[in-house]
């Protein structure tokens, strides 16, 4: 794992967007797995700008959504579905068949997980995974205590995820379970970028980069990834022990 500290969130987002552009230039049918949320929003905006300015066509990639809130309909603007449609799919004219998001309203969530895993295995390996980090150290909905060996799965959400998740919703949402890509997929991805910004994330970044590797703090798995990059701004780096 490598740590990359950028001056501000704009610079790290610009670097992440450029990563995607370069990947697609070299491999037009790449597999990209991305998180939604506040952290990657600017990356998405810059990706759209760069793709249009540089005439890079992303319509041959396979796009995998990292997770979804179980029971939240896609039209709800707090859903991950809504985020990706607004930020990426619509502006870049993606087709439905290149996009793979969990159906969080499915009557058979286990089957949704198997479907997602089959899609990933059929297409090959995830080329690039871009994730954020929650205030409990989760990645996607890989909550504290999760196995590092899970592929896609359904999970009961942690209290911090339930309370923190309300920020995405206009009216209070009932959040109980999540459906998510597992950490085994992360370990098998060719490259992983974990992004974080702001002083609010400084504590979890310290644990991610310099803490014990434990499933009680899922993001610590980043330390084990040989092509993993923790990309943060200076504010999120304030608690790091620079002597290490
Ligand atoms: P955020 O969410 O990017 O909105 O801070 C991160 C997360 O909870 O995974």
């Amino acid at each position: 794992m490598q740590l990359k500290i950028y001056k501000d969130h704009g610079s790290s987002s610009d670097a992440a967007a450029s990563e995607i552009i370069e990947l697609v230039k070299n491999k037009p049918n790449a597999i990209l797995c991305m998180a939604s949320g506040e952290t990657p929003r600017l990356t998405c905006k810059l990706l759209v700008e760069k793709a249009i300015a540089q005439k890079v066509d992303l319509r041959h990639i396979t796009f995998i959504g990292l997770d979804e809130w179980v029971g939240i309909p896609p039209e709800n603007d707090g859903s991950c579905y809504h985020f990706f449609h607004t930020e990426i799919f619509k502006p870049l004219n993606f087709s439905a068949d290149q996009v793979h998001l969990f159906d969080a309203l499915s009557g058979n969530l286990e089957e949704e997980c198997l479907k997602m895993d089959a899609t990933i295995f059929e297409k090959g390996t995830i080329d690039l995974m871009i994730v954020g980090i929650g205030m409990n150290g989760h990645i996607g909905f890989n909550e504290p205590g999760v196995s590092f060996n899970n592929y896609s799965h359904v999970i009961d959400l942690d209290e911090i995820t339930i309370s923190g998740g309300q920020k995405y919703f206009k009216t209070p949402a009932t959040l109980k379970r999540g459906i998510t890509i597992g950490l085994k997929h992360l370990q098998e991805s060719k490259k992983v970028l974990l992004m974080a910004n702001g002083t609010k994330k400084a504590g979890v970044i310290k644990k991610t980069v310099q803490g014990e590797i434990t499933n009680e703090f899922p993001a610590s798995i980043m330390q084990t990834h040989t092509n993993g990059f923790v990309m943060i701004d200076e504010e999120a780096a304030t608690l790091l022990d620079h002597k290490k």
Side-chain angles (χ1 to χ4, degrees):
M1 183 206 80
Q2 279 182 46
L3 172 67
K4 290 192 160 186
I5 303 173
Y6 295 82
K7 194 168 110 332
D8 52 31
H9 183 50
S11 318
S12 57
S13 304
D14 192 77
S18 295
E19 280 276 349
I20 303 172
I21 292 288
E22 289 313 308
L23 171 67
V24 178
K25 278 184 187 166
N26 291 321
K27 189 176 179 187
N29 64 345
I31 308 178
L32 172 68
C33 175
M34 262 192 94
S36 55
E38 284 174 359
T39 309
R41 193 180 289 278
L42 184 54
T43 299
C44 294
K45 182 172 173 282
L46 296 171
L47 171 66
V48 169
E49 284 176 15
K50 285 177 195 289
I52 293 170
Q54 297 178 38
K55 297 190 172 46
V56 177
D57 189 355
L58 274 78
R59 287 174 299 175
H60 301 289
I61 72 164
T62 295
F63 187 99
I64 310 276
L66 183 67
D67 56 15
E68 188 58 277
W69 306 99
V70 169
I72 298 294
E75 60 274 14
N76 185 318
D77 52 19
S79 71
C80 303
Y81 181 102
H82 191 275
F83 176 95
F84 290 127
H85 271 265
T86 313
E87 302 295 332
I88 298 184
F89 304 162
K90 241 163 98 187
L92 291 180
N93 216 2
F94 274 25
S95 63
D97 61 352
Q98 73 177 117
V99 160
H100 301 270
L101 304 181
F102 290 113
D103 174 5
L105 296 184
S106 167
N108 191 341
L109 294 169
E110 291 311 319
E111 196 179 276
E112 273 300 298
C113 293
L114 293 174
K115 215 167 76 186
M116 185 63 93
D117 292 344
T119 299
I120 295 170
F121 299 141
E122 253 166 48
K123 306 263 177 198
T125 313
I126 294 171
D127 290 287
L128 181 62
M129 190 182 267
I130 301 185
V131 301
I133 178 171
M135 297 306 290
N136 53 6
H138 77 187
I139 289 178
F141 288 135
N142 289 279
E143 302 289 81
V146 75
S147 165
F148 281 178
N149 291 319
N150 279 348
Y151 287 115
S152 301
H153 59 282
V154 177
I155 192 166
D156 288 338
L157 296 173
D158 183 76
E159 277 309 315
I160 293 178
T161 302
I162 291 171
S163 54
Q166 297 299 330
K167 70 179 177 179
Y168 306 114
F169 296 90
K170 289 205 177 102
T171 52
T174 306
L175 308 175
K176 285 195 178 123
R177 290 188 299 160
I179 181 166
T180 186
I181 294 288
L183 295 176
K184 189 81 177 158
H185 284 304
L186 180 142
Q187 291 172 79
E188 292 177 1
S189 295
K190 290 187 192 156
K191 189 168 195 175
V192 183
L193 314 181
L194 182 147
M195 303 182 71
N197 60 285
T199 47
K200 191 177 112 177
K201 294 280 171 81
V204 289
I205 284 300
K206 183 172 173 62
K207 282 175 125 177
T208 300
V209 176
Q210 295 172 340
E212 181 196 349
I213 300 171
T214 164
N215 65 340
E216 290 305 323
F217 194 82
S220 62
I221 197 172
M222 286 300 292
Q223 293 179 41
T224 70
H225 201 294
T226 48
N227 207 21
F229 295 82
V230 172
M231 296 170 65
I232 58 175
D233 67 354
E234 285 178 358
E235 288 185 358
T238 44
L239 294 179
L240 290 176
D241 176 358
H242 292 291
K243 288 188 287 292
K244 280 208 172 177

